Amino acid sequence: MENVQEQSVKAVDQPRKKSKWNQILKEKWLYLMVLPGLIYFILFKYVPMWGIVIAFQDYSPFLGVWNSEWVGFEHFQYFFSNPDFFRLLRNTFILALYDLVFFFPAPIILSLMLNEIRLSFYKRTLQTLVYVPHFMSWVIIASVSYVFLTTGGGVVNELLSGLIGKEVNFLSSPDWFRPMIIGQIMWKETGWGTVIFLAALASVDQEQYEAAIVDGAGRFRRLWHVTLPALRSTIVILLILRLGNFLDTGFQQIYLMSNSLNRSVADVFDTYVYFVGITEGAFSYSTAVGLFKSIVGIVLIVGADRLAKKVGESGLF
Amino acid sequence: MKAKWFRYVILAFLVVGILLVAGCSDDSETAGNDSGGDSDGESSGEKMNLRVFVPTFSTEPPTDDSPVLKKIEEYTNKDITMEWVPNSNLEDKFNITLSSGDLPHVMYVPSKSPSFISAVEDGAFWEIGPYLEDYPNLSQANDIILNNSSINGKVYGMYRARDLGRNGVIIRKDWLENLGLEEPKTIDEFYNMLKAFTEEDPDGNGQDDTYGMVVSKYEGPWDVMQTWFGVPNKWGEDENGELYPAFMDDNYMEALNFFKKLYDEGLVNEDFAVMDPAQWSEPVVAGEAGVQVNVLDEGHRIQEKIVDANPDNADPITVIKSVETEAGLNNLPTSGYSGMLAVSKTSVKSEEELKQVLDFLDKMNDEEAQILAENGIEGQHYEIVDGKYESKITDDAALKAEVDGFNQMLMYLPEPKSLKAESTPLRELEETLKVENEDIVVANPAESYISEVYSKKGQQLDNIIIDARIKYIVGQIDEAGLEEAVERWKSSGGTEYMEEINQLHQDAQ
């Protein structure tokens, strides 16, 4: 009996397997073209992921992964019970929230505005110009900010002292740190962020606009009832993706802009991982911190995806 | 037919692409093996290949075909590959190199940082202490400095000697003369000088465009000035022989209040907390600020820049050691060395190889090697005219790029032997003050102790106090906030740190 069954299973299975193989063979060039990308991701993205095991060890680069001592969840326990934890969480969270509230809508608004420009030449030039800051490094932006915002000679402060009669210490005041960071991000990335929305806008059916005009819709009505609904799924997907990086505040920018006077609000997970991991050589501990951050990211991304599906969007997975 | 031909082209591209991807990882592996193999398969007749990791202050460090390097290789009988690291991101590059586990043979260690200590504990470096007596120059190292640079008494790197009394005050002499002031002797005169430099138009241009003292993000000057007030150097010792951190000293508040007064009255630059230390000397050169608390030898570098820009102003700078307060005349010493050269265990595998590396380090202290590394080759980079040294590299960027930076490999043991330019009065004054300083510097009783807690949390602990001090100076926090910071320091591991240091202190008695 058993033998018969097994044979029949094989008999059913084989042709299917063969057909799959045949299909692959038929499209072999496509698969071959995927190969370099695949190798790249396996080699540089998946293989290094094994490195997270050092979060559960007392890792030393001179002993290697295999000879370092295993400590289980000790680093996590230490991190969560550390007085720094809540300060870091709070700072990271507030910055991330600011980012979501102020920066995330900025490219949408800008691309809607660009979309309303009818003069094609003017629109294109403008588009290109707003991309430019994206290609500057944070080092340059930090030094430009310094030149502009410093007291005693900074352009902005010169203006302010002319207008309101006093200077504002943007660079070294904890109150100004977050607005300054968000302002820099907006200046640098808003233009670049419009790329994807403008592409989505280009695919909006022009007939819909014509129909709306026939129905007597004004400019704002068209924006509200035609353009925005067309952008909705793009916005949702980008929002989900953004949530996955919720706790990524970026290291370079924060590191460059922080100093003794604003460190109380500037210390975030990313800079903490650097200070503890690189300057103090606590590799395992900082890996544990980084891993915690990534887990929060995964939870947020899956949660947001579920939520999006619940409200009727297509979601990510 | 045509389609088929096209397919082969694509296939060819893909194969090349894959080979490239695979090739990249291959390359790095073989490169690693190469250096390992070279030193492994060492026979006594062959030149040993040495990778040397040192900082460079120049944007164009010497290349491997520099004639000076060739001479140094010849003299030390080694095949040297320089790994230059820009000084501005030295700490990062140092730590990243440590974390990679693949260390050069000779590695410059900037300080006994937590990362270096943990690397030593993991066995990354040779303990060279017991070998030193076999080498004519290395054996003459100063015991006190050797102990300062050691980790719990064990020597893991050859220190690069520097003057103990290197700190001082650099003053615009031309401004003093314009205002008819004397060099300050006491803290009150120091304060009055800063005030005059800020308010009385010391450069005589009729504009209110000067201020007293320039300070940058770098916290060193505050450390130096607080010792003037009698604050100990990192650790103080009370009447019971217990050690306590400097910021718990009674004089600490007095020093901080003085700093605060300077800041409140605009006698220091308002933006000091965000100012890049790389631009620290510029305001003095540009005639915006009149005073800088720095190493004494920065004095002649500033002087040379001012004279370059304005040859009429021939003698614009003077230097002093420190000023007197109720606590007497004090100054902060350097630790007597500026980093050390350590020998890694990952590249130098056997004791035999270690001895060759130590032989190299020893030879670098010979007069010939010191002159090569600092001055270059006679006739090419310098000349001796009437028995006096004359450098040819100052005006020639290409020549300079052949020499500049090799002196980072020098340890000056037992003393510097390279050739010196004819001294100026300012340089002579600097040297005299360095010697005089040695009588008034405050020693750190815990200099050689290595605390476990500090090697884990040192950076965070230090930051709490450094940040609080600066916040107090600019008025972001008051005395209560300062106490809060001290409490936070204690609860973040400071208490254990103090106990540990005191334990080590008792054991050492």
Side-chain angles (χ1 to χ4, degrees):
Chain A
M1 264 297 273
E2 271 178 4
N3 259 347
V4 176
Q5 221 171 10
E6 233 171 58
Q7 264 175 352
S8 71
V9 168
K10 258 184 191 163
V12 176
D13 228 31
Q14 225 152 17
R16 207 199 278 160
K17 251 187 190 162
K18 203 161 189 192
S19 78
K20 212 166 209 173
W21 183 239
N22 272 341
Q23 209 186 343
I24 290 177
L25 220 62
K26 215 165 86 190
E27 289 161 4
K28 55 180 180 279
W29 298 110
L30 274 178
Y31 281 96
L32 210 59
M33 276 192 260
V34 167
L35 210 60
L38 212 61
I39 290 173
Y40 168 80
F41 276 102
I42 291 172
L43 214 61
F44 295 107
K45 300 280 165 189
Y46 282 89
V47 174
M49 276 216 288
W50 292 111
I52 59 176
V53 300
I54 70 169
F56 305 97
Q57 306 185 309
D58 258 336
Y59 173 73
S60 147
F62 307 101
L63 297 175
V65 176
W66 297 115
N67 298 320
S68 297
E69 193 192 338
W70 292 91
V71 296
F73 284 93
E74 196 184 278
H75 296 302
F76 292 90
Q77 274 166 3
Y78 177 73
F79 180 50
F80 295 135
S81 61
N82 193 328
D84 286 332
F85 176 71
F86 283 102
R87 195 168 49 94
L88 292 169
L89 189 71
R90 193 170 145 262
N91 288 342
T92 312
F93 209 79
I94 294 177
L95 262 184
L97 216 63
Y98 271 41
D99 184 84
L100 211 60
V101 172
F102 296 106
F103 169 63
F104 185 75
I108 303 175
I109 295 167
L110 184 66
S111 45
L112 287 177
M113 278 156 61
L114 282 172
N115 194 45
E116 293 300 313
I117 298 173
R118 289 286 161 255
L119 246 104
S120 149
F121 167 75
Y122 187 53
K123 181 174 156 185
R124 261 166 217 197
T125 321
L126 212 61
Q127 241 174 292
T128 315
L129 282 178
V130 294
Y131 290 171
V132 173
H134 169 77
F135 298 101
M136 290 185 191
S137 74
W138 281 118
V139 181
I140 293 175
I141 291 174
S143 29
V144 169
S145 308
Y146 178 81
V147 172
F148 270 74
L149 299 177
T150 183
T151 49
V155 182
V156 174
N157 269 320
E158 297 269 279
L159 267 176
L160 278 180
S161 64
L163 285 173
I164 57 170
K166 60 172 185 178
E167 301 197 325
V168 180
N169 221 331
F170 295 103
L171 292 166
S172 55
S173 134
D175 302 331
W176 279 102
F177 181 75
R178 288 172 187 137
M180 188 172 68
I181 290 291
I182 299 299
Q184 285 179 332
I185 296 179
M186 284 172 78
W187 184 75
K188 180 166 154 56
E189 299 296 347
T190 304
W192 187 249
T194 60
V195 174
I196 209 157
F197 291 107
L198 284 173
L201 283 173
S203 66
V204 180
D205 191 354
Q206 290 303 310
E207 280 178 28
Q208 285 188 17
Y209 285 111
E210 284 157 25
I213 294 169
V214 173
D215 286 345
R219 258 199 143 157
F220 276 100
R221 286 263 158 204
R222 271 179 275 155
L223 189 84
W224 190 252
H225 290 289
V226 182
T227 317
L228 268 181
L231 279 183
R232 200 169 63 193
S233 59
T234 315
I235 295 175
V236 170
I237 285 184
L238 284 178
L239 191 64
I240 296 173
L241 286 174
R242 179 71 201 91
L243 283 176
N245 303 330
F246 189 68
L247 295 186
D248 287 343
T249 41
F251 165 72
Q252 262 200 36
Q253 182 195 11
I254 309 259
Y255 177 72
L256 288 167
M257 299 311 297
S258 67
N259 52 55
S260 288
L261 295 174
N262 60 20
R263 212 184 322 262
S264 55
V265 295
D267 257 354
V268 292
F269 287 124
D270 286 321
T271 51
Y272 185 72
V273 166
Y274 166 79
F275 277 122
V276 177
I278 300 292
T279 63
E280 291 175 22
F283 305 112
S284 290
Y285 179 53
S286 61
T287 309
V289 177
L291 186 60
F292 161 74
K293 216 184 74 174
S294 308
I295 290 169
V296 172
I298 287 189
V299 170
L300 281 173
I301 209 170
V302 173
D305 185 64
R306 291 275 153 80
L307 201 73
K309 278 186 183 140
K310 271 235 168 79
V311 298
E313 284 295 331
S314 57
L316 206 57
F317 311 116
Chain B
M1 270 309 270
K2 206 175 178 185
K4 211 169 190 178
W5 168 83
F6 185 64
R7 276 179 185 174
Y8 285 124
V9 172
I10 287 188
L11 185 67
F13 271 115
L14 283 175
V15 170
V16 170
I18 291 165
L19 282 180
L20 276 179
V21 170
C24 285
S25 53
D26 245 52
D27 272 355
S28 57
E29 247 169 55
T30 41
N33 282 341
D34 268 358
S35 49
D38 277 3
S39 44
D40 282 344
E42 192 65 48
S43 69
S44 49
E46 264 177 76
K47 274 188 180 180
M48 184 184 183
N49 178 25
L50 269 191
R51 282 190 292 147
V52 181
F53 174 108
V54 284
T56 169
F57 291 84
S58 149
T59 44
E60 274 180 80
T63 55
D64 279 347
D65 53 8
S66 152
V68 177
L69 184 63
K70 291 263 151 37
K71 285 267 185 193
I72 293 175
E73 287 179 329
E74 212 173 280
Y75 184 74
T76 58
N77 191 31
K78 298 284 179 299
D79 199 0
I80 300 168
T81 313
M82 299 301 296
E83 290 184 7
W84 299 105
V85 182
N87 187 60
S88 53
N89 58 10
L90 182 80
E91 296 261 326
D92 288 0
K93 186 71 207 283
F94 173 76
N95 288 320
I96 288 164
T97 309
L98 274 189
S99 65
S100 78
D102 173 36
L103 307 184
H105 299 72
V106 175
M107 191 167 187
Y108 169 71
V109 177
S111 65
K112 288 193 287 181
S113 63
S115 56
F116 174 60
I117 293 166
S118 52
V120 163
E121 281 165 358
D122 294 336
F125 295 101
W126 284 92
E127 194 209 331
I128 58 174
Y131 300 94
L132 295 182
E133 55 182 25
D134 300 337
Y135 298 90
N137 291 319
L138 300 184
S139 59
Q140 295 184 57
N142 179 310
D143 283 337
I144 296 167
I145 305 176
L146 211 51
N147 190 43
N148 282 352
S149 69
S150 74
I151 293 184
N152 291 333
K154 291 182 174 170
V155 178
Y156 288 93
M158 210 54 237
Y159 70 83
R160 306 190 314 173
R162 292 291 185 278
D163 299 293
L164 267 176
R166 206 172 166 211
N167 286 319
V169 186
I170 297 159
I171 303 172
R172 288 282 302 228
K173 189 177 174 182
D174 51 344
W175 288 13
L176 282 178
E177 281 162 6
N178 286 351
L179 298 175
L181 291 169
E182 294 283 310
E183 284 175 11
K185 297 259 178 337
T186 65
I187 193 77
D188 292 328
E189 286 173 23
F190 181 73
Y191 168 79
N192 289 335
M193 172 182 71
L194 295 185
K195 200 154 180 78
F197 278 0
T198 309
E199 288 165 5
E200 289 174 25
D201 189 25
D203 55 358
N205 67 353
Q207 278 168 339
D208 182 18
D209 57 357
T210 57
Y211 59 93
M213 173 167 60
V214 58
V215 190
S216 77
K217 215 167 159 174
Y218 167 59
E219 68 276 4
W222 305 119
D223 290 338
V224 173
M225 285 188 285
Q226 72 192 24
T227 57
W228 297 353
F229 289 85
V231 177
N233 173 4
K234 292 203 181 79
W235 292 90
E237 193 167 3
D238 65 15
E239 56 275 14
N240 305 324
E242 292 267 310
L243 296 185
Y244 60 90
F247 58 84
M248 292 183 184
D249 192 83
D250 296 336
N251 295 321
Y252 185 68
M253 278 316 296
E254 199 193 332
L256 253 56
N257 284 327
F258 178 74
F259 301 159
K260 187 166 169 51
K261 188 163 91 173
L262 296 186
Y263 180 83
D264 288 345
E265 296 181 11
L267 309 187
V268 296
N269 47 323
E270 198 188 354
D271 66 346
F272 78 88
V274 295
M275 183 185 190
D276 184 355
Q279 281 145 16
W280 185 20
S281 294
E282 276 170 26
V284 185
V285 174
E288 289 163 15
V291 176
Q292 190 193 38
V293 174
N294 198 345
V295 290
L296 286 162
D297 40 294
E298 182 70 8
H300 69 254
R301 287 190 282 269
I302 290 178
Q303 166 130 312
E304 281 158 18
K305 280 182 200 152
I306 297 176
V307 175
D308 265 353
N310 181 10
D312 294 341
N313 198 353
D315 188 19
I317 294 290
T318 187
V319 287
I320 61 171
K321 288 179 286 192
S322 139
V323 292
E324 205 167 336
T325 64
E326 279 162 22
L329 191 61
N330 295 305
N331 204 351
L332 185 76
T334 68
S335 41
Y337 65 99
S338 162
M340 41 195 153
L341 299 173
V343 185
S344 81
K345 270 191 174 163
T346 55
S347 296
V348 181
K349 296 225 161 61
S350 65
E351 204 176 346
E352 195 189 323
E353 278 173 30
L354 171 68
K355 284 181 178 162
Q356 289 205 41
V357 178
L358 287 175
D359 180 58
F360 162 76
L361 291 180
D362 191 57
K363 284 219 171 79
M364 286 310 289
N365 288 298
D366 288 349
E367 189 174 351
E368 193 172 339
Q370 284 200 31
I371 290 174
L372 273 173
E374 185 125 26
N375 309 110
I377 301 164
E378 185 169 1
Q380 223 167 326
H381 303 99
Y382 69 91
E383 257 163 332
I384 304 286
V385 184
D386 302 333
K388 278 179 195 158
Y389 165 77
E390 259 177 37
S391 174
K392 291 163 85 175
I393 63 172
T394 36
D395 306 321
D396 191 331
L399 275 182
K400 194 175 168 149
E402 288 178 355
V403 191
D404 202 16
F406 284 124
N407 58 0
Q408 295 299 317
M409 292 197 286
L410 296 179
M411 292 139 277
Y412 304 113
L413 295 175
E415 74 252 328
K417 292 171 194 152
S418 47
L419 304 167
K420 289 270 172 289
E422 204 187 346
S423 200
T424 62
L426 180 60
R427 279 179 199 248
E428 265 164 31
L429 177 63
E430 285 169 7
E431 292 308 315
T432 324
L433 293 186
K434 278 178 187 172
V435 178
E436 285 181 20
N437 255 335
E438 288 181 19
D439 297 332
I440 60 163
V441 292
V442 187
N444 171 7
E447 178 81 46
S448 66
Y449 304 152
I450 298 299
S451 144
E452 189 95 0
V453 180
Y454 189 76
S455 74
K456 285 218 163 64
K457 300 177 190 162
Q459 188 83 46
Q460 285 151 277
L461 288 176
D462 287 351
N463 273 352
I464 294 173
I465 297 304
I466 291 170
D467 289 0
R469 177 169 63 188
I470 290 179
K471 280 182 181 168
Y472 184 79
I473 295 172
V474 305
Q476 266 190 21
I477 55 171
D478 54 7
E479 229 165 297
L482 215 53
E483 271 161 34
E484 216 172 273
V486 172
E487 286 309 313
R488 200 152 74 85
W489 183 86
K490 284 181 182 163
S491 66
S492 310
T495 311
E496 290 115 286
Y497 179 31
M498 271 173 79
E499 282 164 8
E500 216 181 343
I501 288 290
N502 270 305
Q503 189 60 47
L504 288 165
H505 190 55
Q506 276 175 21
D507 295 349
Q509 297 300 309

PDB file of all heavy atoms in Angstrom, chain B residues 435-449:
ATOM      1  N   VAL B 435      60.710  74.172  30.764  1.00  0.00           N
ATOM      2  CA  VAL B 435      61.520  73.634  31.859  1.00  0.00           C
ATOM      3  C   VAL B 435      61.028  74.185  33.197  1.00  0.00           C
ATOM      4  O   VAL B 435      60.850  73.441  34.171  1.00  0.00           O
ATOM      5  CB  VAL B 435      63.008  73.968  31.639  1.00  0.00           C
ATOM      6  CG1 VAL B 435      63.838  73.464  32.797  1.00  0.00           C
ATOM      7  CG2 VAL B 435      63.480  73.351  30.321  1.00  0.00           C
ATOM      8  N   GLU B 436      60.762  75.492  33.233  1.00  0.00           N
ATOM      9  CA  GLU B 436      60.295  76.104  34.485  1.00  0.00           C
ATOM     10  C   GLU B 436      58.956  75.520  34.930  1.00  0.00           C
ATOM     11  O   GLU B 436      58.699  75.366  36.120  1.00  0.00           O
ATOM     12  CB  GLU B 436      60.142  77.616  34.297  1.00  0.00           C
ATOM     13  CG  GLU B 436      61.457  78.349  34.261  1.00  0.00           C
ATOM     14  CD  GLU B 436      61.261  79.855  34.088  1.00  0.00           C
ATOM     15  OE1 GLU B 436      60.151  80.362  34.373  1.00  0.00           O
ATOM     16  OE2 GLU B 436      62.223  80.501  33.663  1.00  0.00           O
ATOM     17  N   ASN B 437      58.124  75.197  33.931  1.00  0.00           N
ATOM     18  CA  ASN B 437      56.813  74.639  34.230  1.00  0.00           C
ATOM     19  C   ASN B 437      56.897  73.368  35.067  1.00  0.00           C
ATOM     20  O   ASN B 437      56.024  73.091  35.874  1.00  0.00           O
ATOM     21  CB  ASN B 437      56.096  74.302  32.922  1.00  0.00           C
ATOM     22  CG  ASN B 437      55.001  75.297  32.593  1.00  0.00           C
ATOM     23  OD1 ASN B 437      54.464  75.939  33.485  1.00  0.00           O
ATOM     24  ND2 ASN B 437      54.687  75.419  31.338  1.00  0.00           N
ATOM     25  N   GLU B 438      57.966  72.606  34.856  1.00  0.00           N
ATOM     26  CA  GLU B 438      58.049  71.314  35.535  1.00  0.00           C
ATOM     27  C   GLU B 438      58.020  71.461  37.057  1.00  0.00           C
ATOM     28  O   GLU B 438      57.658  70.525  37.761  1.00  0.00           O
ATOM     29  CB  GLU B 438      59.300  70.555  35.074  1.00  0.00           C
ATOM     30  CG  GLU B 438      59.113  70.046  33.647  1.00  0.00           C
ATOM     31  CD  GLU B 438      60.300  69.264  33.103  1.00  0.00           C
ATOM     32  OE1 GLU B 438      61.113  68.796  33.918  1.00  0.00           O
ATOM     33  OE2 GLU B 438      60.389  69.134  31.874  1.00  0.00           O
ATOM     34  N   ASP B 439      58.377  72.674  37.550  1.00  0.00           N
ATOM     35  CA  ASP B 439      58.331  72.882  39.005  1.00  0.00           C
ATOM     36  C   ASP B 439      56.927  73.174  39.507  1.00  0.00           C
ATOM     37  O   ASP B 439      56.660  73.049  40.700  1.00  0.00           O
ATOM     38  CB  ASP B 439      59.241  74.059  39.390  1.00  0.00           C
ATOM     39  CG  ASP B 439      60.692  73.764  39.051  1.00  0.00           C
ATOM     40  OD1 ASP B 439      61.049  72.572  39.055  1.00  0.00           O
ATOM     41  OD2 ASP B 439      61.445  74.722  38.783  1.00  0.00           O
ATOM     42  N   ILE B 440      56.040  73.612  38.635  1.00  0.00           N
ATOM     43  CA  ILE B 440      54.728  74.028  39.141  1.00  0.00           C
ATOM     44  C   ILE B 440      53.592  73.141  38.648  1.00  0.00           C
ATOM     45  O   ILE B 440      52.427  73.390  38.920  1.00  0.00           O
ATOM     46  CB  ILE B 440      54.419  75.504  38.764  1.00  0.00           C
ATOM     47  CG1 ILE B 440      54.423  75.688  37.244  1.00  0.00           C
ATOM     48  CG2 ILE B 440      55.389  76.450  39.417  1.00  0.00           C
ATOM     49  CD1 ILE B 440      53.744  76.972  36.804  1.00  0.00           C
ATOM     50  N   VAL B 441      53.895  72.070  37.890  1.00  0.00           N
ATOM     51  CA  VAL B 441      52.799  71.247  37.384  1.00  0.00           C
ATOM     52  C   VAL B 441      52.249  70.336  38.482  1.00  0.00           C
ATOM     53  O   VAL B 441      52.968  69.931  39.390  1.00  0.00           O
ATOM     54  CB  VAL B 441      53.211  70.393  36.163  1.00  0.00           C
ATOM     55  CG1 VAL B 441      53.470  71.261  34.967  1.00  0.00           C
ATOM     56  CG2 VAL B 441      54.382  69.500  36.495  1.00  0.00           C
ATOM     57  N   VAL B 442      50.959  70.086  38.381  1.00  0.00           N
ATOM     58  CA  VAL B 442      50.260  69.283  39.378  1.00  0.00           C
ATOM     59  C   VAL B 442      50.155  67.852  38.852  1.00  0.00           C
ATOM     60  O   VAL B 442      49.567  67.623  37.789  1.00  0.00           O
ATOM     61  CB  VAL B 442      48.835  69.835  39.587  1.00  0.00           C
ATOM     62  CG1 VAL B 442      48.156  69.124  40.747  1.00  0.00           C
ATOM     63  CG2 VAL B 442      48.869  71.326  39.806  1.00  0.00           C
ATOM     64  N   ALA B 443      50.699  66.902  39.581  1.00  0.00           N
ATOM     65  CA  ALA B 443      50.681  65.515  39.103  1.00  0.00           C
ATOM     66  C   ALA B 443      49.316  64.883  39.351  1.00  0.00           C
ATOM     67  O   ALA B 443      48.592  65.260  40.265  1.00  0.00           O
ATOM     68  CB  ALA B 443      51.763  64.710  39.787  1.00  0.00           C
ATOM     69  N   ASN B 444      48.961  63.934  38.516  1.00  0.00           N
ATOM     70  CA  ASN B 444      47.726  63.170  38.691  1.00  0.00           C
ATOM     71  C   ASN B 444      48.068  61.876  39.420  1.00  0.00           C
ATOM     72  O   ASN B 444      48.736  61.009  38.869  1.00  0.00           O
ATOM     73  CB  ASN B 444      47.124  62.883  37.314  1.00  0.00           C
ATOM     74  CG  ASN B 444      45.961  61.920  37.386  1.00  0.00           C
ATOM     75  OD1 ASN B 444      45.502  61.553  38.467  1.00  0.00           O
ATOM     76  ND2 ASN B 444      45.471  61.502  36.231  1.00  0.00           N
ATOM     77  N   PRO B 445      47.603  61.735  40.688  1.00  0.00           N
ATOM     78  CA  PRO B 445      48.005  60.555  41.461  1.00  0.00           C
ATOM     79  C   PRO B 445      47.467  59.248  40.878  1.00  0.00           C
ATOM     80  O   PRO B 445      47.954  58.174  41.236  1.00  0.00           O
ATOM     81  CB  PRO B 445      47.413  60.827  42.850  1.00  0.00           C
ATOM     82  CG  PRO B 445      46.328  61.819  42.624  1.00  0.00           C
ATOM     83  CD  PRO B 445      46.740  62.633  41.441  1.00  0.00           C
ATOM     84  N   ALA B 446      46.479  59.329  39.999  1.00  0.00           N
ATOM     85  CA  ALA B 446      45.870  58.105  39.481  1.00  0.00           C
ATOM     86  C   ALA B 446      46.260  57.840  38.032  1.00  0.00           C
ATOM     87  O   ALA B 446      45.647  57.016  37.369  1.00  0.00           O
ATOM     88  CB  ALA B 446      44.349  58.195  39.603  1.00  0.00           C
ATOM     89  N   GLU B 447      47.313  58.540  37.577  1.00  0.00           N
ATOM     90  CA  GLU B 447      47.671  58.479  36.155  1.00  0.00           C
ATOM     91  C   GLU B 447      47.817  57.050  35.632  1.00  0.00           C
ATOM     92  O   GLU B 447      47.382  56.730  34.536  1.00  0.00           O
ATOM     93  CB  GLU B 447      48.979  59.247  35.950  1.00  0.00           C
ATOM     94  CG  GLU B 447      49.517  59.249  34.531  1.00  0.00           C
ATOM     95  CD  GLU B 447      48.855  60.282  33.622  1.00  0.00           C
ATOM     96  OE1 GLU B 447      48.700  61.427  34.050  1.00  0.00           O
ATOM     97  OE2 GLU B 447      48.510  59.913  32.492  1.00  0.00           O
ATOM     98  N   SER B 448      48.420  56.179  36.396  1.00  0.00           N
ATOM     99  CA  SER B 448      48.727  54.854  35.847  1.00  0.00           C
ATOM    100  C   SER B 448      47.657  53.814  36.169  1.00  0.00           C
ATOM    101  O   SER B 448      47.746  52.686  35.712  1.00  0.00           O
ATOM    102  CB  SER B 448      50.070  54.379  36.377  1.00  0.00           C
ATOM    103  OG  SER B 448      49.961  54.171  37.770  1.00  0.00           O
ATOM    104  N   TYR B 449      46.643  54.198  36.963  1.00  0.00           N
ATOM    105  CA  TYR B 449      45.642  53.205  37.322  1.00  0.00           C
ATOM    106  C   TYR B 449      44.661  52.983  36.182  1.00  0.00           C
ATOM    107  O   TYR B 449      44.201  53.933  35.558  1.00  0.00           O
ATOM    108  CB  TYR B 449      44.854  53.627  38.572  1.00  0.00           C
ATOM    109  CG  TYR B 449      45.710  53.920  39.772  1.00  0.00           C
ATOM    110  CD1 TYR B 449      45.288  54.816  40.746  1.00  0.00           C
ATOM    111  CD2 TYR B 449      46.949  53.298  39.935  1.00  0.00           C
ATOM    112  CE1 TYR B 449      46.083  55.106  41.842  1.00  0.00           C
ATOM    113  CE2 TYR B 449      47.744  53.586  41.027  1.00  0.00           C
ATOM    114  CZ  TYR B 449      47.307  54.493  41.967  1.00  0.00           C
ATOM    115  OH  TYR B 449      48.095  54.776  43.041  1.00  0.00           O
TER     116      TYR B 449
END
